[in-house]
Amino acid sequence: QVQVVESGGGLVQPGGSLRLSCAASIRFFSMKAMAWYRQTPGKQRELVATISSGSTTNYADSVKGRFTISRDNAKNTVYLQMNSLKPEDTAAYYCNKQYDLFPWGQGTQVTVSS
């Protein structure tokens, strides 16, 4: 059974930084394209960043140049470094595979506010 635990969220002022972590118990983790998503109340979940098995990355236009996704296959962990945070980045953040998604974890809340 797949289990994923997201962590690292919190309250940060505009312009600040956070680093999110996602520990995933996925078979053949290193072979899976992974992604970070985010969701705010009343809106659909949004794809934020992806990383392939070969560590090729892609980002939503809204976070390009500010967020960096990375992975540590030895630890079955995906990270999201978030810099220059804006109030509109406020959301619950989730990790999952990029394709053939597994059940969502609890996510980690990021709140950007002064």
Side-chain angles (χ1 to χ4, degrees):
Q1 183 176 353
V2 174
Q3 184 174 11
V4 59
V5 178
E6 300 99 340
S7 62
L11 173 63
V12 63
Q13 292 188 341
S17 298
L18 284 173
R19 188 193 195 205
L20 307 184
S21 298
C22 167
S25 61
I26 303 173
R27 292 185 68 191
F28 310 118
F29 174 85
S30 64
M31 299 172 63
K32 308 297 184 184
M34 297 296 296
W36 281 97
Y37 303 79
R38 67 186 180 187
Q39 188 172 27
T40 54
K43 293 188 177 181
Q44 282 194 323
R45 214 175 306 246
E46 172 191 18
L47 179 62
V48 174
T50 65
I51 185 165
S52 72
S53 58
S55 294
T56 298
T57 58
N58 281 288
Y59 300 92
D61 287 344
S62 58
V63 307
K64 204 170 290 184
R66 300 188 298 121
F67 289 12
T68 302
I69 188 172
S70 61
R71 65 192 299 159
D72 184 339
N73 291 332
K75 296 181 179 180
N76 276 28
T77 299
V78 182
Y79 303 98
L80 187 68
Q81 177 67 44
M82 306 187 297
N83 299 328
S84 303
L85 282 161
K86 304 176 180 180
E88 51 264 43
D89 295 318
T90 295
Y93 284 72
Y94 303 83
C95 74
N96 208 312
K97 293 191 293 181
Q98 184 179 0
Y99 308 106
D100 189 22
L101 276 60
F102 51 72
W104 296 99
Q106 300 226 347
T108 185
Q109 178 67 35
V110 172
T111 302
V112 184
S113 175
S114 54

